[in-house]
Amino acid sequence: MLNVTRIRLYPTSAQQQGLAVQFGCARWAWNNALNEMRVLYRETGKGLSYAGMTLRLPKLKQEFPWLEDADSQVLQQALRNLAASFQGFFERRLKYPRFKTKHGRQSIQYPQRVKIDGSRIYLPKVGWVTCVVHREIIGKIKTVTVSKNACGQYHAAVLTDNETPMLSVSVEGKAIGVDVGLLDLAVTSDGSKFANPKHLRKAERNLKRKQRKLSRKVKGSNSRANARRLVARAHQRIADARRDHLHKLSRRIVNENQVIVVEDLHVKGMMKNHSLARAIGDAGWGMFTRFLAYKAERDGKAFVKTNRFYPSSKACSECGVINDRLSLDVRHWTCPHCGARHDRDINAAKNIRDEGLRALAAGTVAAAGGGNVSHGRGRKSSVHAVAKEARSLRQ
């Protein structure tokens, strides 16, 4: 099983300079290869493979001797990542690769020769760097990705393989539906409501003040660079607080349930609504769903995505009748058919749970030969589970 542990680095001034050289050379190798790909494709209609990119490195090092200051495997890994980006683009999973800039986040990747000894980590061409390892790193180190964010913080993402197989997925146990929103970040089918912390809203005054100071600085001055770092640090605090809250909430939901069902929301499309885009981005629905998915997979639990077009809010969870006249501002309503009184969000969570259980009971996953099934986007459901038998789990 692969695991990633993110640790904080505290390099010295000399080590920061060494990392800056690694960042710059890897960025230049990426941009140079990308430009060569664009020119070659315009002239011949063909591109370069990873092998073709690496064959250019020796000549580039002769032409640009300062490339020798970078670790050879860092340059090779940058080209390997570019080749993977093109592969993802051709498979229509990713956008076309873009040129990297020296502003903002910087990163390099070491595929080998990285060692961790207590509170130190050895990076080739940089040396032993002080770090904070908050949890034990178990398994063989596969790759280490070193990054620097916009506010000057250094981190290392250590990918390890502990050689233990993934747990088999079981659907025997408590099932829960999760409905996300803006007033309450998550509402579950058992009646629990988790409030939306609104991290960005709470930090608006501080962020607005720092951004106003930044706008008054002279471009290119040291004071502007310092003000930019303060703004970046404020944004980083917001992002860290959001990520921490979503990790804790997703961990609690996964620990307490065996089958987790969520709605397959088109968050990217919803972000085009300029009236709600900031609130939706602050809530972090997409990140929350990803956290639930990978935590459930690691714990051997079922994670199901229901059809995004299913009217979960307007359907009665008791009799199934759809109330088409239900407007968005109505938070509580009574079913005109059976008379049941509903909380809009809890009723939606119950319907999401039942829809996911119906997908499991229909044998969708069993038809795939016991493997993971993802129907992709659209009207179908996405199920990540292995059903033991085709029967309802509501009983």
Side-chain angles (χ1 to χ4, degrees):
M1 182 186 297
L2 297 177
N3 295 282
V4 177
T5 305
R6 189 166 177 261
I7 61 179
R8 178 75 180 273
L9 305 182
Y10 294 92
T12 63
S13 299
Q15 291 171 343
Q16 291 181 18
Q17 182 63 30
L19 286 172
V21 171
Q22 305 294 315
F23 292 144
C25 292
R27 184 177 64 246
W28 188 91
W30 169 290
N31 291 341
N32 180 268
L34 178 56
N35 182 68
E36 183 67 18
M37 286 276 288
R38 291 160 62 98
V39 173
L40 188 61
Y41 184 80
R42 282 197 299 264
E43 294 178 352
T44 65
K46 298 180 180 180
L48 283 174
S49 63
Y50 167 67
M53 295 179 190
T54 52
L55 288 176
R56 299 175 62 249
L57 275 179
K59 295 181 179 180
L60 289 175
K61 288 184 178 180
Q62 294 178 359
E63 184 178 357
F64 304 99
W66 42 268
L67 284 175
E68 295 286 352
D69 297 335
D71 185 70
S72 59
Q73 292 191 350
V74 166
L75 301 179
Q76 294 170 11
Q77 192 64 34
L79 300 181
R80 186 177 288 110
N81 293 337
L82 177 59
S85 297
F86 271 107
Q87 184 66 28
F89 170 72
F90 295 139
E91 294 175 357
R92 298 185 179 181
R93 294 183 292 102
L94 303 174
K95 293 183 178 180
Y96 188 82
R98 297 182 299 178
F99 290 101
K100 293 184 179 293
T101 174
K102 65 178 181 181
H103 304 289
R105 184 180 183 273
Q106 306 292 317
S107 67
I108 54 174
Q109 196 170 59
Y110 290 97
Q112 290 178 339
R113 296 182 289 119
V114 176
K115 305 174 184 177
I116 298 179
D117 181 17
S119 60
R120 299 188 307 164
I121 181 172
Y122 176 77
L123 303 176
K125 293 278 188 173
V126 178
W128 288 97
V129 181
T130 303
C131 62
V132 175
V133 182
H134 61 284
R135 66 180 62 182
E136 184 180 3
I137 299 177
I138 302 175
K140 180 182 178 181
I141 297 178
K142 305 290 286 185
T143 62
V144 176
T145 303
V146 180
S147 62
K148 175 187 176 184
N149 57 24
C151 55
Q153 297 174 345
Y154 293 84
H155 295 88
V158 184
L159 176 65
T160 58
D161 185 2
N162 55 16
E163 298 181 353
T164 58
M166 295 289 291
L167 297 176
S168 58
V169 179
S170 172
V171 296
E172 298 296 334
K174 181 182 177 182
I176 195 170
V178 182
D179 179 54
V180 297
L182 295 179
L183 181 61
D184 295 304
L185 176 61
V187 178
T188 60
S189 55
D190 59 5
S192 300
K193 292 187 176 184
F194 302 94
N196 184 4
K198 299 181 180 179
H199 302 286
L200 181 60
R201 178 67 63 86
K202 294 178 181 178
E204 265 185 346
R205 292 185 61 185
N206 176 52
L207 191 59
K208 183 178 180 180
R209 184 173 61 252
K210 286 182 169 58
Q211 289 175 333
R212 186 185 295 117
K213 290 182 179 179
L214 173 62
S215 66
R216 295 169 179 168
K217 303 298 181 182
V218 178
K219 291 186 178 181
S221 64
N222 291 333
S223 61
R224 181 179 176 84
N226 293 332
R228 184 199 57 78
R229 279 191 291 268
L230 292 177
V231 173
R233 187 175 301 176
H235 279 290
Q236 189 65 38
R237 289 197 190 99
I238 298 171
D240 290 343
R242 180 186 301 113
R243 187 181 299 107
D244 178 72
H245 179 263
L246 295 179
H247 268 302
K248 292 177 179 177
L249 179 56
S250 59
R251 172 48 59 192
R252 175 177 174 179
I253 292 176
V254 172
N255 286 348
E256 297 176 354
N257 303 278
Q258 185 65 30
V259 180
I260 299 99
V261 187
V262 300
E263 192 174 5
D264 183 21
L265 295 175
H266 184 27
V267 180
K268 184 177 180 180
M270 299 172 70
M271 288 288 289
K272 295 180 181 179
N273 184 342
H274 298 294
S275 299
L276 298 175
R278 181 168 60 175
I280 294 174
D282 190 22
W285 292 344
M287 184 184 297
F288 179 53
T289 303
R290 291 193 299 272
F291 287 173
L292 286 174
Y294 91 80
K295 286 181 171 65
E297 182 183 10
R298 288 178 178 275
D299 291 358
K301 301 185 177 183
F303 177 78
V304 183
K305 280 187 176 182
T306 65
N307 174 17
R308 67 181 61 161
F309 298 104
Y310 175 67
S312 57
S313 297
K314 296 183 178 182
C316 176
S317 58
E318 298 295 332
C319 64
V321 173
I322 298 177
N323 185 4
D324 292 325
R325 299 182 178 180
L326 191 64
S327 59
L328 187 60
D329 60 334
V330 177
R331 310 312 302 174
H332 296 83
W333 59 284
T334 302
C335 177
H337 184 263
C338 66
R341 182 69 175 173
H342 295 299
D343 178 287
R344 183 190 184 97
D345 297 330
I346 297 177
N347 175 69
K350 290 180 180 179
N351 286 325
I352 291 172
R353 176 200 60 192
D354 296 343
E355 182 71 8
L357 295 180
R358 282 192 289 268
L360 287 176
T364 306
V365 184
N372 290 344
V373 173
S374 177
H375 293 291
R377 299 178 181 177
R379 300 184 60 87
K380 298 180 181 179
S381 299
S382 176
V383 182
H384 302 274
V386 178
K388 292 187 175 180
E389 52 183 331
R391 64 180 180 85
S392 175
L393 301 180
R394 295 187 64 180
Q395 302 175 353

